[in-house]
Amino acid sequence: MEVSASILSVKEEESVHTFYRLELAKVDYFHIDVMDGKFVEEDSQEEMKKYADNLKNITNIPLDVHLMVDNVKKYVDIFSPNEPRCITFHFEAVKDKEEIMELINYIKQFSKVGISIKPETKIEEIYDFLPYVHNVLVMTVEPGKGGQELIPETIEKIKTLKKYIEENNLDTEIEADGGINLSNINELKNVGVDIAVVGTALIEAKDYKYMVNKLKE
Ligand code: DX5
Ligand code: ZN
């Protein structure tokens, strides 16, 4: 299982040092949570753009961009110059099937594509798109802020998704995001999560290397 470090809660004055420590701890990705103040209440766009620019200068660890925004294309244009490994947008922000397919193809010019769903959205709603995306990001908390508790019902959803992916011979990877820590990581591993996004549990840990190793073991 890979670990994508959510840097949403990193304070600016500590950011360079924190990014360096995360790199030494060998996180697999830096997870960039872009919030527009519309799709979710918070607005993190300026800070996250600054962090993405900064990271591109100091590390080779790939960026994993999670767009919690209404206007997807606008933010794809803002973050694609940072050459992320993957850009993920929310199913709930678009919904119209044709528009979703257009966005998938648009993002593919720049990076891998992910589609994300909120906790209350049924997993079956995105089945049609699975052959065209690289990644499904299942929100295990309500998007909008870090430091929340994982919603247990979302694990059942991941199980269903994994089964569907296997039965249909797809190679879509599953990413889980929100409230992930040492007490629930094994459960996520067991249901087939490929990438765990970890924010608070990692950023607030004293020893990043120890925490990343523990999460992966
Ligand atoms: C929530 C974000 C998550 C989250 C992760 O809206 O998408 O990436 O902040 O942080 P923790 O691990 O604190 O839930
Ligand atoms: Zn996220």
Side-chain angles (χ1 to χ4, degrees):
M1 162 131 75
E2 295 184 309
V3 171
S4 189
S6 166
I7 55 169
L8 185 62
S9 68
V10 173
K11 291 183 193 68
E12 199 173 343
E13 54 286 9
E14 291 160 14
S15 59
V16 175
H17 182 58
T18 304
F19 298 159
Y20 179 64
R21 287 173 62 208
L22 289 168
E23 167 151 36
L24 287 182
K26 298 202 166 66
V27 297
D28 296 286
Y29 312 107
F30 284 105
H31 183 86
I32 314 283
D33 281 310
V34 183
M35 303 178 178
D36 64 352
K38 292 181 185 128
F39 183 75
V40 291
E41 233 170 86
E42 298 288 318
D43 187 337
S44 68
Q45 50 185 306
E46 268 175 45
E47 191 182 33
M48 289 303 124
K49 180 60 186 172
K50 221 185 285 171
Y51 284 2
D53 287 346
N54 208 334
L55 283 164
K56 269 328 248 192
N57 286 327
I58 61 178
T59 177
N60 289 320
I61 293 176
L63 306 186
D64 170 32
V65 172
H66 177 195
L67 299 178
M68 285 165 275
V69 304
D70 277 337
N71 187 345
V72 177
K73 191 169 176 293
K74 174 180 164 190
Y75 291 91
V76 172
D77 290 340
I78 294 174
F79 283 90
S80 56
N82 295 107
E83 298 176 333
R85 169 190 187 257
C86 185
I87 299 178
T88 298
F89 66 95
H90 267 269
F91 168 75
E92 299 85 359
V94 195
K95 277 205 166 143
D96 176 78
K97 263 192 179 174
E98 245 166 69
E99 208 184 321
I100 291 182
M101 280 312 299
E102 267 170 41
L103 281 170
I104 289 172
N105 290 322
Y106 186 70
I107 294 171
K108 272 186 189 167
Q109 303 174 80
F110 311 109
S111 69
K112 290 183 188 265
V113 190
I115 190 159
S116 180
I117 53 165
K118 294 204 228 179
E120 73 272 21
T121 303
K122 291 220 159 49
I123 196 69
E124 291 79 11
E125 300 222 40
I126 58 157
Y127 281 175
D128 285 352
F129 308 108
L130 294 186
Y132 311 103
V133 298
H134 302 97
N135 175 299
V136 176
L137 190 155
V138 179
M139 288 303 303
T140 41
V141 299
E142 209 49 59
K145 54 177 192 289
Q148 306 179 74
E149 247 176 72
L150 182 141
I151 301 167
E153 290 76 27
T154 57
I155 295 180
E156 211 43 48
K157 249 165 86 171
I158 296 173
K159 223 182 192 170
T160 310
L161 172 63
K162 183 70 181 181
K163 194 163 164 249
Y164 184 87
I165 288 172
E166 283 176 351
E167 282 173 0
N168 291 277
N169 288 315
L170 297 163
D171 52 12
T172 328
E173 61 190 20
I174 303 177
E175 184 168 358
D177 183 7
I180 299 175
N181 55 42
L182 290 181
S183 73
N184 52 34
I185 191 85
N186 282 330
E187 226 178 319
L188 296 170
K189 240 175 256 177
N190 291 340
V191 293
V193 170
D194 301 292
I195 304 172
V197 178
V198 188
T200 313
L202 180 56
I203 303 303
E204 287 182 0
K206 274 208 184 81
D207 186 339
Y208 285 3
K209 215 175 246 177
Y210 174 83
M211 186 50 90
V212 171
N213 289 341
K214 274 277 174 203
L215 287 163
K216 287 186 171 206
E217 97 189 355

